[in-house]
Amino acid sequence: MTVRRSTPLVVGGVCVSLVVIVAVLALVLPRAEGGPDPGELPALAASRGIELGVAVAVDPLRDDPAYRDLVADHYTSVTAENTMKWEHVQPERGRFDWSGPDTVVDFAVENGLDVRGHTLLWHNQQPAWLSEGSYDADGLRAIMREHMEALLGRYQGRVSSWDVINEPFVDDGPELRGNLWLDTLGEDYIAQALTMAHEVDPEAELYINEFNVEGPGPKADALYALASDLLERGVPLHGVGLQGHFVHGTVPDDLARNMARFSDLGLDVEISELDVRIPEPVTEAAVAEQGEEYRRVVEACLEVERCSGVTVWGVTDAHSWIPEWFPGHDAALPFDPSYRPKPALNGMAEALGRRRRPS
């Protein structure tokens, strides 16, 4: 998913970034006023045996101390929102840009946070040399291995899990999505990629990550069938990520039950990209109800024995991908544009504080 770029303002002939304005506001406003104390959420998550993660953007992580504090104070793991994707990390074949991934991983190591790698094979955000190239099966497999050996190899021992396959199915159905990998290697590209990633980093947990599979339905059934087949064949698949990009009012009541069937296969399962976007105009009532939705999602995870965690897809509404990709929606995350906590943060704390894992 892509992060919205900051919009320039012209004030007295001077161009000022909204990101800078938000950072300044965050320094003068009470930090996390009304929300959990710094360190409270990570301690609660650890006591329940799950990760509470967040997707981070490179620029504010590098340049904004208040942003970094929110991440370190309230989460146990980080996922690179964009910077580990092909177009960023290997813009030209054989030329790797490690500046962004190093920023994320170094920050995590310095702050004692886990790291989820995102993502290896996806139909989107590919560099032109890859998406517009012409390859036979052997040539494409060679490119896959080069990329994995460079990326997984660099962070081996520091990135604990990887979304190896991202969004393999069409948006709203059970069919595999046509893409470079499927068109060149056939349906077995998923097994080949998982096997290759395991060969490069045998200690990493390997995931398939998908959206519109949070509740039962044909697409969720197709993901379940795929996972079952891979496991029966001995393919190294360790977990599935159910992304959790919800519209306000659509968190499914049977989320935990759907997650449990993947857990029953012996897989870890997690909510990997949680946000709850609210149709505009955003009201106080909707923001309060959103807090209950975040609570319900975390509670669902805690009901499932092998739910490994919940990752929120962005730190604050100031850096959210939602307004760009879903015009007419906003306010999807636990911190507002001025970095103040919203009821969503308290909702997660409430769930972690009162719900214990099944014995």
Side-chain angles (χ1 to χ4, degrees):
M1 305 306 177
T2 303
V3 180
R4 177 177 49 169
R5 292 176 173 83
S6 59
T7 303
L9 296 177
V10 177
V11 181
V14 179
C15 184
V16 182
S17 170
L18 277 177
V19 172
V20 174
I21 292 173
V22 169
V24 172
L25 284 171
L27 294 176
V28 300
L29 289 167
R31 194 157 143 274
E33 182 180 359
D37 291 334
E40 181 179 345
L41 275 173
L44 285 170
S47 74
R48 298 295 183 253
I50 69 168
E51 297 285 353
L52 186 65
V54 66
V56 294
V58 170
D59 288 349
L61 190 68
R62 182 184 57 232
D63 301 331
D64 186 347
Y67 182 98
R68 291 197 297 271
D69 284 347
L70 289 185
V71 176
D73 287 347
H74 297 288
Y75 296 99
T76 68
S77 71
V78 294
T79 301
E81 187 173 15
N82 282 292
T83 194
M84 289 185 178
K85 295 171 182 174
W86 280 76
E87 69 174 4
H88 296 286
V89 78
Q90 193 181 179
E92 299 174 10
R93 185 171 184 181
R95 182 177 72 82
F96 292 86
D97 181 355
W98 301 118
S99 58
D102 281 354
T103 295
V104 173
V105 175
D106 290 348
F107 171 84
V109 172
E110 290 168 5
N111 288 277
L113 305 176
D114 196 13
V115 184
R116 295 189 71 258
H118 179 80
T119 177
L120 297 180
L121 296 194
W122 191 30
H123 66 279
N124 215 338
Q125 290 185 256
Q126 297 174 349
W129 70 265
L130 179 65
S131 62
E132 299 173 7
S134 178
Y135 311 102
D136 62 16
D138 288 340
L140 188 58
R141 277 191 289 267
I143 289 171
M144 288 166 52
R145 184 169 289 278
E146 290 168 7
H147 188 79
M148 290 188 190
E149 288 179 347
L151 184 55
L152 275 71
R154 184 176 182 87
Y155 300 112
Q156 188 168 2
R158 293 184 289 168
V159 174
S160 61
S161 60
W162 284 93
D163 292 330
V164 177
I165 305 295
N166 197 46
E167 301 173 4
F169 294 98
V170 298
D171 288 359
D172 296 307
E175 300 83 14
L176 287 175
R177 183 189 302 273
N179 57 36
L180 171 66
W181 323 104
L182 179 68
D183 296 345
T184 307
L185 302 175
E187 293 186 5
D188 202 48
Y189 86 89
I190 296 171
Q192 293 177 38
L194 288 162
T195 300
M196 192 178 294
H198 183 67
E199 290 170 355
V200 174
D201 187 353
E203 300 303 317
E205 299 290 305
L206 307 180
Y207 277 72
I208 297 175
N209 191 47
E210 186 57 275
F211 70 100
N212 284 349
V213 291
E214 296 78 13
K219 187 173 180 179
D221 292 344
L223 177 61
Y224 180 85
L226 173 63
S228 299
D229 175 68
L230 292 168
L231 292 173
E232 289 175 5
R233 294 164 54 191
V235 175
L237 173 67
H238 306 112
V240 294
L242 313 185
Q243 291 184 9
H245 294 298
F246 299 117
V247 180
H248 171 50
T250 66
V251 175
D253 293 332
D254 46 9
L255 175 60
R257 184 165 69 251
N258 190 45
M259 295 170 71
R261 61 173 172 162
F262 292 97
S263 176
D264 290 344
L265 290 175
L267 292 171
D268 289 341
V269 59
E270 69 175 64
I271 302 299
S272 56
E273 302 188 15
L274 176 62
D275 49 43
V276 181
R277 60 187 183 269
I278 299 175
E280 295 176 321
V282 177
T283 65
E284 289 187 14
V287 171
E289 292 162 359
Q290 181 191 62
E292 291 299 299
E293 292 173 305
Y294 269 81
R295 177 185 58 77
R296 288 171 51 207
V297 171
V298 174
E299 285 184 344
C301 175
L302 293 173
E303 289 177 16
V304 178
E305 182 178 3
R306 296 196 60 154
C307 180
S308 56
V310 175
T311 292
V312 178
W313 205 245
V315 179
T316 84
D317 291 331
H319 306 94
S320 173
W321 70 294
I322 292 297
E324 180 179 350
W325 284 80
F326 298 97
H329 294 78
D330 205 347
L333 299 174
F335 289 91
D336 74 11
S338 296
Y339 293 27
R340 292 174 299 200
K342 294 159 57 180
L345 199 71
N346 286 321
M348 293 191 293
E350 182 182 348
L352 290 167
R354 72 183 190 185
R355 174 76 69 172
R356 294 191 176 274
R357 303 302 300 269
S359 57

